[in-house]
Amino acid sequence: MEKPVHVSIDIGTTNITLLALDLKERRVDSYSSVPNQRVQTGESFAYIQDPLEIEKSVRSLLSSIHRPIASICVTGQVHGILYYKADGEAVSPLYTWLDQRGMVPVGSMNSQEALYDETGVLLPAGYGLLTHYANRGLHSVPSEAIGFCGILEYITGRLVGKILTESDPSCLGPYGAFDPVSLQFDRTVLKAVFGDGRETFLDAARPFSIAGHTAEGIPVAYAVGDNQAGFFGMVSDWNRSALISIGTSGQVSLFSKSNCCPGSMELRPFLGEGYLHVGATLAAGKAYETVKQFLISVLRSAGNPADDEQVFALMKEAASKETSQERLMVDTRFAGTRQNPTLRGSIHNIGLDNFTLGNLVRGTVEGIIEELYSFSREAGAIFASVEQIVATGSSVRKNVLFSAALNQRFGMPTVIAEIEDGAGFGAALIGAVATGALSVEDVKTIVHDMLGT
């Protein structure tokens, strides 16, 4: 009889990915991915996806596994929300973390400003409670909706056949106004957001607990946010390593038992073991892609229809051959920051001879890394114990410019986590811990042996 595998579903902004982990052989048994399409609405502020299509994709991916499944754990994008009706099925799009409806004017101010004016709490655009508050102001809440949740709670609930009333704290923080220490939402904010005097929302589930079982009897762990799942799956020495993820956005994550967190960073609960101190940017790989799009437009205007891969190769070659000592200083906050989404990037130190493609590419990469490094300075004593960088994300794996910039700026060894989906790998391990197949210490050993991180 075949040994069972532990399965994760990673619902990313771009792709939905399944990973099956064979614990006995200590290997990823299978890995498959399908696109997660954006639904175009014609509204410049909207970034939505279809939860019904996401569910179909998840079930299709699960049906491709022909070995017994020991556990399932969902991870992926957080912050966003969708509305559901009495039977638990979605009755709205998924308003993702990139959705900006909280910044749309309603009367004399936008919803972010109005909620701050009412509660004194400033929620970043894309956070779930702000999105619901904005939808109320925009009269966009479906009449048949009885509640809302994130896509991770929704898919987990659909797999176990019930509407969830709890979620892992890693998924609760991104709604906004959630205290990672007391594990409670701010009641004043809840009353304002719901507008009906309600002071409760989803409760915090115990770490590594089971949400329910599928119709086939497979245990499904409560979903865990991709940041916490990724740290769990890619870092073996929590105290002496910093995890840096460079994807669409960028993050630096530091583990600590301390709940004293710099104002520029977020304190996130970490599976009952302590906290992650997280500095998050809104544009990392996306900033690099912006330069690519600029170059494509220039080439096309000259009659050269180059594709993405050709342009990426041209950018890397130009940067690697650049010899100018007078660097361009690129501020890569092209999409602002979580605290101020209206900020925009800039290019400084342009001279008569240094405004070249290679310098622009090199300056953009260095700007991305500099924004992440700024968080380590803010972290102070927590970062002082760090001895290595564990780097992940397609940008780091595919582009040596990023790993070189990390080495140079942080001044310590950088280990590339050579795994396609670190959050999915971590979620599969979380499912294994939830079912008693592993301990947390076992996980650290497996991560070290399999990934070398």
Side-chain angles (χ1 to χ4, degrees):
M1 180 179 176
E2 283 190 298
K3 292 289 185 181
V5 289
H6 294 271
V7 170
S8 68
I9 299 289
D10 185 350
I11 305 171
T13 311
T14 305
N15 296 297
I16 303 167
T17 303
L18 179 144
L19 182 149
L21 178 62
D22 184 328
L23 284 184
K24 183 179 180 183
E25 299 295 329
R26 292 200 175 185
R27 65 180 177 88
V28 174
D29 181 71
S30 60
Y31 180 88
S32 52
S33 184
V34 296
N36 190 7
Q37 302 287 355
R38 177 183 181 181
V39 177
Q40 298 294 336
T41 68
E43 300 166 316
S44 60
F45 60 82
Y47 198 112
I48 65 173
Q49 294 175 318
D50 186 342
L52 300 181
E53 287 300 316
I54 291 173
E55 183 181 350
K56 286 181 184 177
S57 295
V58 167
R59 294 191 185 278
S60 176
L61 287 168
L62 285 171
S63 70
S64 70
I65 300 297
H66 301 299
R67 293 179 62 175
I69 298 177
S71 70
I72 299 172
C73 183
V74 180
T75 188
Q77 58 172 300
V78 290
H79 297 99
I81 63 167
L82 59 91
Y83 297 92
Y84 55 82
K85 56 185 178 178
D87 65 359
E89 187 175 66
V91 290
S92 78
L94 166 63
Y95 305 98
T96 75
W97 63 281
L98 289 167
D99 192 89
Q100 295 284 305
R101 68 195 54 239
M103 309 305 291
V104 174
V106 180
S108 62
M109 60 181 73
N110 63 42
S111 295
Q112 184 189 62
E113 294 166 337
L115 185 60
Y116 178 77
D117 189 58
E118 189 172 351
T119 66
V121 176
L122 184 69
L123 295 188
Y127 276 47
L129 293 181
L130 177 61
T131 297
H132 176 60
Y133 186 79
N135 277 334
R136 284 182 53 222
L138 295 167
H139 305 290
S140 298
V141 179
S143 59
E144 63 269 50
I146 66 161
F148 66 85
C149 65
I151 189 63
L152 305 189
E153 288 92 0
Y154 177 72
I155 292 300
T156 300
R158 297 296 285 173
L159 290 175
V160 302
K162 64 181 181 181
I163 296 172
L164 299 186
T165 58
E166 295 181 324
S167 188
D168 186 83
S170 63
C171 298
L172 298 180
Y175 286 102
F178 181 78
D179 183 350
V181 181
S182 68
L183 304 182
Q184 299 289 324
F185 285 98
D186 185 312
R187 293 186 176 186
T188 301
V189 173
L190 291 183
K191 289 174 69 174
V193 165
F194 288 105
D196 57 6
R198 194 182 319 180
E199 296 182 354
T200 60
F201 188 41
L202 290 164
D203 292 322
R206 288 184 299 103
F208 305 109
S209 57
I210 300 297
H213 295 75
T214 68
E216 297 77 25
I218 301 168
V220 181
Y222 279 102
V224 175
D226 55 359
N227 175 223
Q228 286 89 337
F231 195 95
F232 192 69
M234 288 184 286
V235 179
S236 61
D237 192 333
W238 297 353
N239 292 297
R240 289 197 285 270
S241 300
L243 177 66
I244 291 182
S245 173
I246 302 177
T248 301
S249 57
Q251 288 185 331
V252 54
S253 303
L254 305 166
F255 173 79
S256 177
K257 294 284 188 181
S258 170
N259 61 21
C260 296
C261 185
S264 64
M265 302 179 75
E266 296 177 43
L267 184 70
R268 299 180 181 178
F270 182 62
L271 300 168
E273 301 291 324
Y275 304 94
L276 294 185
H277 298 242
V278 181
T281 69
L282 295 181
K286 197 68 175 176
Y288 193 77
E289 185 182 330
T290 299
V291 176
K292 178 212 70 176
Q293 290 299 117
F294 167 72
L295 186 54
I296 283 177
S297 71
V298 172
L299 292 171
R300 286 179 178 170
S301 68
N304 185 346
D307 63 27
D308 286 1
E309 291 307 312
Q310 289 173 316
V311 174
F312 277 135
L314 179 62
M315 290 167 65
K316 281 196 286 187
E317 182 180 12
S320 63
K321 292 181 177 179
E322 181 59 54
T323 58
S324 172
Q325 297 302 306
E326 191 176 2
R327 300 291 183 95
L328 291 179
M329 311 298 291
V330 183
D331 181 342
T332 54
R333 293 177 295 181
F334 296 169
T337 66
R338 291 196 185 277
Q339 289 75 27
N340 187 357
T342 63
L343 279 177
R344 290 296 176 263
S346 59
I347 304 174
H348 295 279
N349 201 41
I350 299 175
L352 293 174
D353 302 313
N354 69 339
F355 194 46
T356 64
L357 174 60
N359 234 354
L360 177 60
V361 173
R362 187 172 66 177
T364 300
V365 172
E366 290 172 352
I368 292 167
I369 302 306
E370 183 62 35
E371 190 177 359
L372 291 168
Y373 183 76
S374 67
F375 293 117
S376 69
R377 291 197 301 265
E378 292 283 331
I382 295 173
F383 186 73
S385 65
V386 171
E387 297 176 1
Q388 74 167 1
I389 302 297
V390 176
T392 183
S394 58
S395 297
V396 175
R397 290 195 306 275
K398 296 178 181 179
N399 193 334
V400 68
L401 297 175
F402 284 92
S403 56
L406 281 169
N407 275 325
Q408 182 177 12
R409 190 67 186 96
F410 282 85
M412 62 182 66
T414 298
V415 181
I416 308 299
E418 296 289 353
I419 185 166
E420 193 74 15
D421 184 7
F425 185 65
L429 292 168
I430 289 167
V433 174
T435 55
L438 293 175
S439 68
V440 171
E441 291 305 312
D442 291 334
V443 168
K444 293 179 181 179
T445 301
I446 289 173
V447 170
H448 181 270
D449 292 348
M450 290 184 64
L451 303 184
T453 56

